Amino acid sequence: MPTLKFAVLAGDYIGPEVMTEALRVLEHVAKSENLTLSYTQADVGGAGIDHHGKALPDSTLKTCEAADAILFGSVGGPKWEKLPPKEQPERAALLPLRKHFTLFANIRPGLLYRELTDASPLKSERIPDGIDIVCIRELTGGLYFGLPKQTTTLPDGDLQAVDTMVYKKSEIERILQVAITTARARKKKLCSVDKANVLETSVLWRKTVVDFMAKHAPDIALSHMYVDNAAMQLARDPNQFDVFVTENMFGDILSDEMAVICGSLGMLSSASLGAGKNSLGLPFGLYEPAGGTAPDIAGMGIANPCAQVLSAALMLRFSFGLDALATRIEAAVKKAVTSGTRTGDIAFGKPSVGTKAMTDAIIAQL
Ligand code: NAD
């Protein structure tokens, strides 16, 4: 009986609420598919600070190292907002996890079902068939990690801060491999987003993309777009993209814009794949919802569990090679949601069912 060994880091506020539901879905499919789930739960974020004095406790890191994948909830919230920036749950847990496991490839599906177009802030006539695009964001390079990164006092007493945007050709090629695989599994269309008219890193980015794609993926229709235009085009006609690939900060901003036009944070999943392989020879990865801890609705039993369930499906696909099973879960979520079962997610208007009932509806479709 195949064993799926993963770490469960539920985090804070609605994190544990939606994680419970994702685990319920996994337990259900494991039973029907004769799979054994072997998972260990560990504190992270605010829970890590409260129980171990650290957002990413050493014991949690060890649990992750012993696993083939990490199923992550979300971290942070008002309780820890007064801590210094460097100790904030998100910064002190997620960034070190990304760095430790070299989680360089963030894959974020931007999905809005045709039946739910009214949940998007875009006019329905712009997205008659909903939205179905993918953002591939480089996650361990660029401004967020480049050095020097510091604030200094100048001789005249003025303060000066510096962040460094740095990319190596090999880092660009590495993320391109992921973009190529993703594009090949879809419409064989890839848009590379940069700012090559201004930034040196973008000039290297574009040259590397052109050379690498010509050599390794001539079958894929490649286009380029400046990031400012990409932000406009996403709001104008998102489906002109199929897969787009971009560097860390541009991807941070564009993927959030994508989340907004897709109508509901409660529906969007993501995968962050590592450079290393797990014990099955597949990519080690961290899988998490696009949204945060939603403190405003925590404890009310109305958080939308779909993003966490869909993140678990991505884990099955990428880190355990169970593509068909992942597709089955994705189809079950779609059927449950489009058949009128909705949670209290503000994007969906009035709550019709709670978190648990939403999961029941998903399980009923499996
Ligand atoms: P948020 O994503 O938590 O919430 C924004 C809005 O979306 C809220 O109205 C919330 O109720 C709603 N929402 C989000 N997920 C939902 C779900 N599953 N079901 C129903 N509604 C949902 O963003 P925020 O309010 O800016 O941040 C709250 C906390 O989460 C902050 O501490 C922030 O730092 C943290 N955060 C963590 C992560 C992460 O762990 N990766 C990501 C983003 C924000």
Side-chain angles (χ1 to χ4, degrees):
M1 200 189 274
T3 300
L4 312 187
K5 196 167 182 227
F6 55 100
V8 174
L9 275 50
D12 310 312
Y13 291 96
I14 67 160
E17 296 174 32
V18 290
M19 186 63 84
T20 302
E21 304 306 308
L23 292 173
R24 213 146 64 81
V25 170
L26 285 175
E27 298 282 6
H28 179 87
V29 293
K31 214 180 267 173
S32 67
E33 298 292 312
N34 228 2
L35 300 164
T36 303
L37 299 186
S38 164
Y39 59 83
T40 308
Q41 311 221 28
D43 288 328
V44 74
I49 293 170
D50 287 355
H51 302 144
H52 311 264
K54 236 169 133 180
L56 182 60
D58 298 345
S59 54
T60 299
L61 198 56
K62 280 211 180 82
T63 299
C64 295
E65 282 170 344
D68 286 322
I70 303 169
L71 189 57
F72 196 90
S74 40
V75 294
K79 189 173 175 201
W80 306 281
E81 256 166 27
K82 292 207 169 67
L83 289 173
K86 278 188 183 162
E87 291 170 33
Q88 293 281 330
E90 252 192 286
R91 187 158 161 189
L94 264 175
L95 292 189
L97 271 174
R98 282 176 193 162
K99 198 164 182 182
H100 186 81
F101 292 105
T102 323
L103 302 172
F104 72 95
N106 183 236
I107 303 175
R108 246 208 234 192
L111 193 60
L112 172 66
Y113 307 133
R114 185 161 45 86
E115 295 81 349
L116 302 182
T117 50
D118 59 345
S120 172
L122 298 188
K123 288 186 187 130
S124 294
E125 58 260 35
R126 289 198 183 272
I127 43 168
D129 297 319
I131 299 173
D132 184 2
I133 60 180
V134 179
C135 169
I136 310 271
R137 167 187 169 196
E138 202 291 326
L139 204 57
T140 49
L143 267 181
Y144 296 5
F145 290 96
L147 294 172
K149 187 182 205 47
Q150 64 196 28
T151 305
T152 46
T153 307
L154 298 174
D156 65 359
D158 203 357
L159 282 177
Q160 176 175 279
V162 61
D163 292 292
T164 304
M165 191 163 191
V166 55
Y167 267 106
K168 287 191 280 195
K169 185 175 161 209
S170 54
E171 290 173 317
I172 302 167
E173 291 181 343
R174 188 168 65 172
I175 191 72
L176 274 175
Q177 302 266 23
V178 176
I180 290 169
T181 306
T182 310
R184 282 211 175 112
R186 292 173 55 97
K187 294 182 182 162
K188 294 193 171 186
K189 217 176 119 185
L190 179 66
C191 180
S192 167
V193 175
D194 63 38
K195 188 74 182 166
N197 50 344
V198 177
L199 297 175
E200 203 60 31
T201 41
S202 278
V203 172
L204 178 67
W205 180 280
R206 190 171 289 210
K207 181 173 172 9
T208 306
V209 170
V210 169
D211 294 350
F212 194 84
M213 294 297 290
K215 191 164 171 203
H216 298 282
D219 55 315
I220 290 174
L222 174 68
S223 60
H224 304 272
M225 202 179 275
Y226 294 139
V227 63
D228 39 352
N229 187 26
M232 279 194 290
Q233 296 301 330
L234 260 180
R236 204 183 63 81
D237 175 17
N239 288 312
Q240 71 182 276
F241 300 99
D242 188 59
V243 180
F244 65 93
V245 60
T246 192
E247 66 88 46
N248 202 346
M249 182 180 63
F250 299 161
D252 191 1
I253 298 166
L254 291 180
S255 60
D256 269 20
E257 182 185 350
M258 188 179 76
V260 169
I261 61 170
C262 286
S264 169
L265 274 176
M267 295 299 300
L268 297 179
S269 55
S270 82
S272 299
L273 304 185
K277 300 273 184 251
N278 64 21
S279 75
L280 307 167
L282 292 164
F284 182 89
L286 180 149
Y287 302 86
E288 61 174 330
T293 58
D296 53 335
I297 58 164
M300 295 165 68
I302 57 167
N304 189 344
C306 291
Q308 192 73 62
V309 171
L310 291 170
S311 301
L314 291 179
M315 176 178 80
L316 296 181
R317 173 171 295 128
F318 292 118
S319 286
F320 295 108
L322 298 169
D323 187 57
L325 190 54
T327 305
R328 236 177 81 200
I329 294 174
E330 288 162 352
V333 170
K334 180 175 181 183
K335 269 195 207 147
V337 175
T338 55
S339 64
T341 314
R342 307 215 187 149
T343 66
D345 196 327
I346 45 166
F348 290 163
K350 286 204 171 71
S352 50
V353 301
T355 308
K356 290 201 180 329
M358 180 79 233
T359 316
D360 290 341
I362 296 168
I363 290 174
Q365 298 292 345
L366 279 164

PDB file of all heavy atoms in Angstrom, residues 139-158:
ATOM      1  N   LEU A 139      10.626  32.202  -7.048  1.00  0.00           N
ATOM      2  CA  LEU A 139      10.316  32.470  -5.647  1.00  0.00           C
ATOM      3  C   LEU A 139      11.521  32.636  -4.722  1.00  0.00           C
ATOM      4  O   LEU A 139      11.354  32.997  -3.559  1.00  0.00           O
ATOM      5  CB  LEU A 139       9.431  31.322  -5.134  1.00  0.00           C
ATOM      6  CG  LEU A 139       8.512  31.561  -3.957  1.00  0.00           C
ATOM      7  CD1 LEU A 139       7.555  32.713  -4.208  1.00  0.00           C
ATOM      8  CD2 LEU A 139       7.722  30.303  -3.629  1.00  0.00           C
ATOM      9  N   THR A 140      12.701  32.368  -5.208  1.00  0.00           N
ATOM     10  CA  THR A 140      13.832  32.447  -4.272  1.00  0.00           C
ATOM     11  C   THR A 140      14.921  33.428  -4.719  1.00  0.00           C
ATOM     12  O   THR A 140      16.003  33.470  -4.141  1.00  0.00           O
ATOM     13  CB  THR A 140      14.476  31.055  -4.047  1.00  0.00           C
ATOM     14  OG1 THR A 140      14.717  30.464  -5.327  1.00  0.00           O
ATOM     15  CG2 THR A 140      13.599  30.167  -3.219  1.00  0.00           C
ATOM     16  N   GLY A 141      14.642  34.191  -5.768  1.00  0.00           N
ATOM     17  CA  GLY A 141      15.639  35.160  -6.238  1.00  0.00           C
ATOM     18  C   GLY A 141      15.092  36.574  -6.180  1.00  0.00           C
ATOM     19  O   GLY A 141      14.105  36.859  -5.503  1.00  0.00           O
ATOM     20  N   GLY A 142      15.757  37.460  -6.918  1.00  0.00           N
ATOM     21  CA  GLY A 142      15.271  38.835  -7.046  1.00  0.00           C
ATOM     22  C   GLY A 142      15.381  39.648  -5.775  1.00  0.00           C
ATOM     23  O   GLY A 142      16.168  39.355  -4.867  1.00  0.00           O
ATOM     24  N   LEU A 143      14.539  40.661  -5.697  1.00  0.00           N
ATOM     25  CA  LEU A 143      14.619  41.666  -4.622  1.00  0.00           C
ATOM     26  C   LEU A 143      14.435  41.123  -3.212  1.00  0.00           C
ATOM     27  O   LEU A 143      14.947  41.681  -2.252  1.00  0.00           O
ATOM     28  CB  LEU A 143      13.506  42.703  -4.842  1.00  0.00           C
ATOM     29  CG  LEU A 143      13.833  43.958  -5.633  1.00  0.00           C
ATOM     30  CD1 LEU A 143      12.619  44.851  -5.701  1.00  0.00           C
ATOM     31  CD2 LEU A 143      14.994  44.723  -4.984  1.00  0.00           C
ATOM     32  N   TYR A 144      13.665  40.046  -3.072  1.00  0.00           N
ATOM     33  CA  TYR A 144      13.325  39.591  -1.725  1.00  0.00           C
ATOM     34  C   TYR A 144      14.500  38.922  -1.015  1.00  0.00           C
ATOM     35  O   TYR A 144      14.528  38.822   0.201  1.00  0.00           O
ATOM     36  CB  TYR A 144      12.129  38.642  -1.757  1.00  0.00           C
ATOM     37  CG  TYR A 144      10.842  39.304  -2.251  1.00  0.00           C
ATOM     38  CD1 TYR A 144      10.843  40.608  -2.713  1.00  0.00           C
ATOM     39  CD2 TYR A 144       9.644  38.624  -2.247  1.00  0.00           C
ATOM     40  CE1 TYR A 144       9.693  41.215  -3.177  1.00  0.00           C
ATOM     41  CE2 TYR A 144       8.471  39.229  -2.700  1.00  0.00           C
ATOM     42  CZ  TYR A 144       8.517  40.530  -3.163  1.00  0.00           C
ATOM     43  OH  TYR A 144       7.380  41.130  -3.617  1.00  0.00           O
ATOM     44  N   PHE A 145      15.459  38.422  -1.813  1.00  0.00           N
ATOM     45  CA  PHE A 145      16.574  37.704  -1.192  1.00  0.00           C
ATOM     46  C   PHE A 145      17.938  38.335  -1.490  1.00  0.00           C
ATOM     47  O   PHE A 145      18.926  38.008  -0.843  1.00  0.00           O
ATOM     48  CB  PHE A 145      16.581  36.241  -1.654  1.00  0.00           C
ATOM     49  CG  PHE A 145      15.431  35.431  -1.107  1.00  0.00           C
ATOM     50  CD1 PHE A 145      14.276  35.238  -1.855  1.00  0.00           C
ATOM     51  CD2 PHE A 145      15.489  34.879   0.165  1.00  0.00           C
ATOM     52  CE1 PHE A 145      13.211  34.505  -1.354  1.00  0.00           C
ATOM     53  CE2 PHE A 145      14.424  34.146   0.673  1.00  0.00           C
ATOM     54  CZ  PHE A 145      13.285  33.963  -0.085  1.00  0.00           C
ATOM     55  N   GLY A 146      17.995  39.212  -2.509  1.00  0.00           N
ATOM     56  CA  GLY A 146      19.283  39.765  -2.928  1.00  0.00           C
ATOM     57  C   GLY A 146      19.972  40.574  -1.836  1.00  0.00           C
ATOM     58  O   GLY A 146      19.330  41.256  -1.042  1.00  0.00           O
ATOM     59  N   LEU A 147      21.310  40.501  -1.820  1.00  0.00           N
ATOM     60  CA  LEU A 147      22.108  41.250  -0.839  1.00  0.00           C
ATOM     61  C   LEU A 147      23.002  42.242  -1.566  1.00  0.00           C
ATOM     62  O   LEU A 147      23.441  41.945  -2.675  1.00  0.00           O
ATOM     63  CB  LEU A 147      22.944  40.285  -0.001  1.00  0.00           C
ATOM     64  CG  LEU A 147      22.146  39.345   0.903  1.00  0.00           C
ATOM     65  CD1 LEU A 147      23.077  38.311   1.534  1.00  0.00           C
ATOM     66  CD2 LEU A 147      21.354  40.103   1.956  1.00  0.00           C
ATOM     67  N   PRO A 148      23.300  43.429  -1.015  1.00  0.00           N
ATOM     68  CA  PRO A 148      22.899  43.886   0.325  1.00  0.00           C
ATOM     69  C   PRO A 148      21.424  44.251   0.417  1.00  0.00           C
ATOM     70  O   PRO A 148      20.779  44.588  -0.572  1.00  0.00           O
ATOM     71  CB  PRO A 148      23.776  45.128   0.530  1.00  0.00           C
ATOM     72  CG  PRO A 148      24.069  45.628  -0.840  1.00  0.00           C
ATOM     73  CD  PRO A 148      24.138  44.416  -1.716  1.00  0.00           C
ATOM     74  N   LYS A 149      20.956  44.150   1.639  1.00  0.00           N
ATOM     75  CA  LYS A 149      19.576  44.500   1.990  1.00  0.00           C
ATOM     76  C   LYS A 149      19.688  45.156   3.352  1.00  0.00           C
ATOM     77  O   LYS A 149      19.850  44.479   4.358  1.00  0.00           O
ATOM     78  CB  LYS A 149      18.786  43.184   2.063  1.00  0.00           C
ATOM     79  CG  LYS A 149      17.297  43.318   2.254  1.00  0.00           C
ATOM     80  CD  LYS A 149      16.707  41.918   2.355  1.00  0.00           C
ATOM     81  CE  LYS A 149      15.285  41.818   1.957  1.00  0.00           C
ATOM     82  NZ  LYS A 149      14.852  42.440   0.736  1.00  0.00           N
ATOM     83  N   GLN A 150      19.699  46.468   3.390  1.00  0.00           N
ATOM     84  CA  GLN A 150      19.981  47.123   4.668  1.00  0.00           C
ATOM     85  C   GLN A 150      19.557  48.588   4.685  1.00  0.00           C
ATOM     86  O   GLN A 150      19.311  49.184   3.628  1.00  0.00           O
ATOM     87  CB  GLN A 150      21.494  47.047   4.965  1.00  0.00           C
ATOM     88  CG  GLN A 150      22.305  47.804   3.941  1.00  0.00           C
ATOM     89  CD  GLN A 150      23.777  47.443   3.981  1.00  0.00           C
ATOM     90  OE1 GLN A 150      24.152  46.342   4.356  1.00  0.00           O
ATOM     91  NE2 GLN A 150      24.619  48.382   3.593  1.00  0.00           N
ATOM     92  N   THR A 151      19.470  49.138   5.875  1.00  0.00           N
ATOM     93  CA  THR A 151      19.213  50.565   6.031  1.00  0.00           C
ATOM     94  C   THR A 151      20.426  51.166   6.735  1.00  0.00           C
ATOM     95  O   THR A 151      20.895  50.622   7.735  1.00  0.00           O
ATOM     96  CB  THR A 151      17.951  50.790   6.882  1.00  0.00           C
ATOM     97  OG1 THR A 151      16.878  50.063   6.276  1.00  0.00           O
ATOM     98  CG2 THR A 151      17.576  52.260   6.961  1.00  0.00           C
ATOM     99  N   THR A 152      20.947  52.248   6.171  1.00  0.00           N
ATOM    100  CA  THR A 152      22.117  52.882   6.799  1.00  0.00           C
ATOM    101  C   THR A 152      21.855  54.379   7.022  1.00  0.00           C
ATOM    102  O   THR A 152      21.019  54.976   6.347  1.00  0.00           O
ATOM    103  CB  THR A 152      23.383  52.753   5.918  1.00  0.00           C
ATOM    104  OG1 THR A 152      23.024  53.096   4.586  1.00  0.00           O
ATOM    105  CG2 THR A 152      23.976  51.374   5.947  1.00  0.00           C
ATOM    106  N   THR A 153      22.578  54.929   7.982  1.00  0.00           N
ATOM    107  CA  THR A 153      22.502  56.373   8.211  1.00  0.00           C
ATOM    108  C   THR A 153      23.657  57.026   7.457  1.00  0.00           C
ATOM    109  O   THR A 153      24.819  56.651   7.629  1.00  0.00           O
ATOM    110  CB  THR A 153      22.621  56.680   9.715  1.00  0.00           C
ATOM    111  OG1 THR A 153      21.649  55.893  10.397  1.00  0.00           O
ATOM    112  CG2 THR A 153      22.376  58.152  10.003  1.00  0.00           C
ATOM    113  N   LEU A 154      23.335  57.972   6.605  1.00  0.00           N
ATOM    114  CA  LEU A 154      24.359  58.648   5.804  1.00  0.00           C
ATOM    115  C   LEU A 154      25.084  59.692   6.655  1.00  0.00           C
ATOM    116  O   LEU A 154      24.575  60.102   7.712  1.00  0.00           O
ATOM    117  CB  LEU A 154      23.694  59.307   4.592  1.00  0.00           C
ATOM    118  CG  LEU A 154      22.990  58.334   3.633  1.00  0.00           C
ATOM    119  CD1 LEU A 154      22.247  59.094   2.542  1.00  0.00           C
ATOM    120  CD2 LEU A 154      23.994  57.365   3.013  1.00  0.00           C
ATOM    121  N   PRO A 155      26.273  60.131   6.190  1.00  0.00           N
ATOM    122  CA  PRO A 155      27.037  61.128   6.972  1.00  0.00           C
ATOM    123  C   PRO A 155      26.225  62.373   7.311  1.00  0.00           C
ATOM    124  O   PRO A 155      26.419  62.991   8.358  1.00  0.00           O
ATOM    125  CB  PRO A 155      28.200  61.478   6.034  1.00  0.00           C
ATOM    126  CG  PRO A 155      28.355  60.286   5.152  1.00  0.00           C
ATOM    127  CD  PRO A 155      27.003  59.685   4.999  1.00  0.00           C
ATOM    128  N   ASP A 156      25.274  62.756   6.425  1.00  0.00           N
ATOM    129  CA  ASP A 156      24.474  63.966   6.713  1.00  0.00           C
ATOM    130  C   ASP A 156      23.268  63.662   7.602  1.00  0.00           C
ATOM    131  O   ASP A 156      22.412  64.506   7.829  1.00  0.00           O
ATOM    132  CB  ASP A 156      24.018  64.624   5.412  1.00  0.00           C
ATOM    133  CG  ASP A 156      23.056  63.737   4.620  1.00  0.00           C
ATOM    134  OD1 ASP A 156      22.776  62.600   5.085  1.00  0.00           O
ATOM    135  OD2 ASP A 156      22.576  64.167   3.546  1.00  0.00           O
ATOM    136  N   GLY A 157      23.175  62.412   8.097  1.00  0.00           N
ATOM    137  CA  GLY A 157      22.097  62.062   9.026  1.00  0.00           C
ATOM    138  C   GLY A 157      20.856  61.503   8.329  1.00  0.00           C
ATOM    139  O   GLY A 157      19.942  61.001   8.987  1.00  0.00           O
ATOM    140  N   ASP A 158      20.842  61.606   7.003  1.00  0.00           N
ATOM    141  CA  ASP A 158      19.712  61.056   6.256  1.00  0.00           C
ATOM    142  C   ASP A 158      19.734  59.517   6.340  1.00  0.00           C
ATOM    143  O   ASP A 158      20.796  58.919   6.559  1.00  0.00           O
ATOM    144  CB  ASP A 158      19.827  61.498   4.785  1.00  0.00           C
ATOM    145  CG  ASP A 158      18.485  61.467   4.073  1.00  0.00           C
ATOM    146  OD1 ASP A 158      17.484  61.056   4.700  1.00  0.00           O
ATOM    147  OD2 ASP A 158      18.442  61.859   2.887  1.00  0.00           O
TER     148      ASP A 158
END
